[in-house]
Amino acid sequence: GAKALFKEKVVKTLLMEVYPRGLGNAGVDFLDFLSFLWDDLGLMCSSSLPPSSKGAFEVNHPNSLPEFAEYIKGISNYARNISWWGQFDDFYCFNRRKLWKWD
């Protein structure tokens, strides 16, 4: 819904909760979601939660999009047996494509 905003404006940062189980329940493949952030919106994202936080992704996860998507699918399947919510985390994303203008 906000794709036009990213196309027309310089969005410096984005903070969002990432909930793979919810995306999957909505029919969104996690690799497609990551590709949308990287390719379409030009965002580079990282976890904003400390690794000790409940539900946070591990700090030593794979860095390529396909490998990270498979990692998330694996821990989401594992977490499904532990809690109803599954795995979740907060992503802090930076615009890597558009230059920022300092006012």
Side-chain angles (χ1 to χ4, degrees):
K3 191 173 180 179
L5 175 71
F6 284 86
K7 186 176 182 178
E8 297 167 9
K9 305 287 184 184
V10 177
V11 179
K12 295 178 184 180
T13 59
L14 174 68
L15 177 64
M16 68 178 140
E17 184 169 0
V18 177
Y19 177 39
R21 185 172 180 181
L23 288 168
N25 289 343
V28 176
D29 180 76
F30 199 69
L31 180 56
D32 291 341
F33 171 71
L34 293 174
S35 296
F36 173 73
L37 294 175
W38 181 263
D39 296 329
D40 295 357
L41 299 184
L43 298 176
M44 177 180 68
C45 302
S46 178
S47 172
S48 65
L49 294 177
S52 60
S53 298
K54 183 180 179 184
F57 301 144
E58 298 293 326
V59 294
N60 60 346
H61 59 72
N63 289 322
S64 76
L65 294 183
E67 289 175 346
F68 184 66
E70 286 302 314
Y71 162 79
I72 293 300
K73 289 176 186 176
I75 62 173
S76 294
N77 290 336
Y78 171 75
R80 186 173 290 131
N81 298 326
I82 297 172
S83 74
W84 185 87
W85 293 105
Q87 196 80 5
F88 61 92
D89 203 340
D90 291 330
F91 272 11
Y92 195 74
C93 305
F94 294 92
N95 191 324
R96 63 178 180 81
R97 187 175 293 151
K98 294 185 178 180
L99 295 176
W100 302 355
K101 292 182 182 178
W102 300 97
D103 296 329

